[in-house]
Amino acid sequence: MTPTDHWAAVAQRLGTDLFLDLQPDPTLSAHGRGAQLRRSLTTELRAAISDGRLPAGTQLPPYRSLAADLGVARGTVSAAYAELIAEGWLTARQGSGTVVAHTSTPSVLPNTRRKPDGPTHDFSLGAPTPSLFPRSDWIAATRVAITDAPHSAFGPGDPQGNYELREELSRYLARVRGVRTSPDNIVLTTSVHSALVSLCSNAVDGALAVEAFNMPFHRASIEAAGTPTLPIPIDRDGADVDTLSDGAYSDARAVLLTPSHQFPTGVALSPGRRAAVVAHARSRGMYIVEDDYDGELRYDREPIGALQGLAPDCVIYTGSVSKSLSPAVRTAWLVVPDAVVEPLVAAKGPREPDASIVDQLVLTQLIRTGAYDRHIRRSRQFYRKRRDHLVARLRDVGVDTGGVSAGLHIVLPCRPDAEDELLATAWRAGFLVFGLSQFRHPTAPPDGRGGIVVGFGSPPDSSFNADIDALAGLLAAFT
Amino acid sequence: MTPTDHWAAVAQRLGTDLFLDLQPDPTLSAHGRGAQLRRSLTTELRAAISDGRLPAGTQLPPYRSLAADLGVARGTVSAAYAELIAEGWLTARQGSGTVVAHTSTPSVLPNTRRKPDGPTHDFSLGAPTPSLFPRSDWIAATRVAITDAPHSAFGPGDPQGNYELREELSRYLARVRGVRTSPDNIVLTTSVHSALVSLCSNAVDGALAVEAFNMPFHRASIEAAGTPTLPIPIDRDGADVDTLSDGAYSDARAVLLTPSHQFPTGVALSPGRRAAVVAHARSRGMYIVEDDYDGELRYDREPIGALQGLAPDCVIYTGSVSKSLSPAVRTAWLVVPDAVVEPLVAAKGPREPDASIVDQLVLTQLIRTGAYDRHIRRSRQFYRKRRDHLVARLRDVGVDTGGVSAGLHIVLPCRPDAEDELLATAWRAGFLVFGLSQFRHPTAPPDGRGGIVVGFGSPPDSSFNADIDALAGLLAAFT
């Protein structure tokens, strides 16, 4: 059987007309072929679910038998399933196997298991361009930091995180983002994702109000950890925080906001609303959780200072180096009022700093020497150019863009009823882009928005121009 | 007021006769003084709870007012409270403040917030000697790994962990521990602690049987995540796994064991019981979770191969570099049967490899070049010498040791009714050692064991001989 025959057999098992090109590239290593097959399988299953060929509730074959049918390693199929489960397309329950999920808005997010050697135009969100990583700076900082560290640095670490890094961060965040804090109020962890889950599990005793558009996999993890989320509407001034006074939000003990650059719509929270949400939080004893996910990446204006600077008593601030440096360095921070330090640190256990202390030594050195600042400045110039090129090229084909003054993504608005078809066409053509509705909270009412969300940090430098041309071509054909 | 006066005021508040020397070392920096005060406060509160001066249920003053009384930063007191909460001495509940916990066996564990500049004789458990960290090897491996990595290594990473490290580990664990697996069956994470919590949350749907003596902070986290634990007795042949057939264990869906070197008693699971527990697990569809926490550190005999090698279908194997290299490198692994890969990876979310990918690149290089093996050989020689010196010195003063052929700790048996007093004396004299009963499962019946558990990896090289002499002196005075 050729791979295509294999796939036909599988499609028959699934009772659908899936088509998958499983002809592997003969120049690839065994691992490379496995990765390629996994990618193809994931892409095709995603498209088939999205366009209805695999309706909700369809039972998928056990991955062992699918792997046997396809003649690929079981790990290849199980990894593809795992990825689609994590994205929300599939659901796995003990005993009942893997089925297509009952959801109209699966939380598609960057396919991190995909290798970059494929044909896809990768417009994933939230990751910096990997070629920007300051390798020489990292190596030089490692040499100094590892040489100079006291022996104790290699013993059990402080669960709150390396003290010297917290010192550097308290100064850096004050200087760059207007955050007012001290090293004792910073808790280090691996990612904003784990920071939010820990906060909700240990310091928020009730529901969490969230923006109607948000990061679906953060929301899913927060809810899985037992904290219900309540959406608040978004308009041109950002989250409509006045609605927090409604009875519907009476269970909310905290509100999660992206005040500087709403994710993903791109608007900023207006000054009036910044003041209003602080007043509301103070009067109700609520916390505001500020996810400052791309606060350093501003191109056309001075950055808006962090909301935390207005109200360190009730704002919990979080950020990471995932966009400024690399998601491969798993280091993030929470800046919290006094009362929140204890429960967060205690929850980690007496000897579990989770994030790598070795990396924290290196980061301390990078910030201390100014190498981190220089890297941010270089990145800002690089992304400004990319943004300008993307906006100009899209304008050439008559496509307007929104929310473009910051960060690593833009939104291309479209009619809500056109979004699904545009997205299915894009995925089928090998574009990794996202639909705005995929970021809408499941209980948020429709608000007349539709759009495509495009990350412009992800394409590698070698293909950026071609990727943008291809995207412009796709959109031109569609309008 | 002098610091001692301050403390007298606090003792009065607490209605007890606590005494604390709060005279800070004038040569220390402000941060150093804070650390010293925090350490003193923690030590004194621990001793006061342990010897009954602060009985269970005693309400502690709010940390803000205690800090004001003592004239120290609020962070100093909150950190001390957090540490004692994590260790199980104190309990914090929203609204009701901080109270002394109702437990006779608080889970004292290494005080990781303590700085090494203090007077304590540090016999913490589970950490390698920090001065052994192979700094030059780490720097050299960083230079090669960061230079040679593809750009994609600095993009979003595989939640399962870096593939190349999983490849190296599958070969390394086969060679050194007899583990039979493939890279697709390895899931990387930050620590054995987080590995166990994730396993119980995502792959064990019922209770977990555990050894009657075990790591209390692992057990506490597993239970906090919703998995009840059921103790099985320990004897000279290790865990008495035949008891798993009792009706009392009918809810157990997995059993957590330390087969190669029972923690902390030091016995090995007998060959007959290794076979029996595998047969039991297969017949009941249970998993065996093998915590191979110090598998590489053997001094007098060939290491016993991992149980996993006998039964890769039903054994979940876990380990980390925390003892072989440093707990500052937050990298651990789970080796799991096929069916467990999906739920573990899916639970992380689509783009969250938790453990640092940058460190994984460096570790891959360390293993690949043989530097890791050389480091293990050096460490084994180093610890063998320490162990020999400790055993000889204790024999000089008439103290027998148990379970000494492996790892980084020894048990000094004593009468169970003498343990509490010995421990209180040791703590008061500045020794960080542990009582065997602190590792006993809360529902395990007394079994006539008592003892002191001493970690011999923790003392710094500069004070090792003096620390051992002091310990021998303490024990000689007591017997």
Side-chain angles (χ1 to χ4, degrees), chain B residues 301-330:
Chain B
R301 54 170 165 80
E302 282 301 296
I304 302 168
L307 188 61
Q308 194 272 355
L310 286 184
D313 56 307
C314 66
V315 178
I316 293 168
Y317 174 92
T318 183
S320 77
V321 300
S322 289
K323 282 168 203 68
S324 61
L325 201 57
S326 165
V329 181
R330 308 298 299 157

Side-chain angles (χ1 to χ4, degrees), chain B residues 359-423:
Chain B
D359 290 357
Q360 291 177 21
L361 299 174
V362 178
L363 275 174
T364 305
Q365 179 70 11
L366 280 178
I367 299 178
R368 194 176 277 161
T369 58
Y372 188 74
D373 280 68
R374 283 193 301 277
H375 172 69
I376 299 284
R377 284 196 297 273
R378 274 196 305 268
S379 302
R380 215 181 275 136
Q381 287 185 320
F382 177 89
Y383 293 125
R384 185 206 305 265
K385 272 189 204 153
R386 282 200 163 196
R387 196 266 327 245
D388 289 348
H389 180 75
L390 171 59
V391 170
R393 196 71 192 77
L394 292 176
R395 197 181 299 126
D396 289 348
V397 296
V399 175
D400 272 340
T401 53
V404 298
S405 58
L408 294 175
H409 71 275
I410 62 172
V411 180
L412 311 179
C414 72
R415 290 198 325 276
D417 56 353
E419 188 185 299
D420 280 0
E421 195 192 336
L422 177 49
L423 214 52

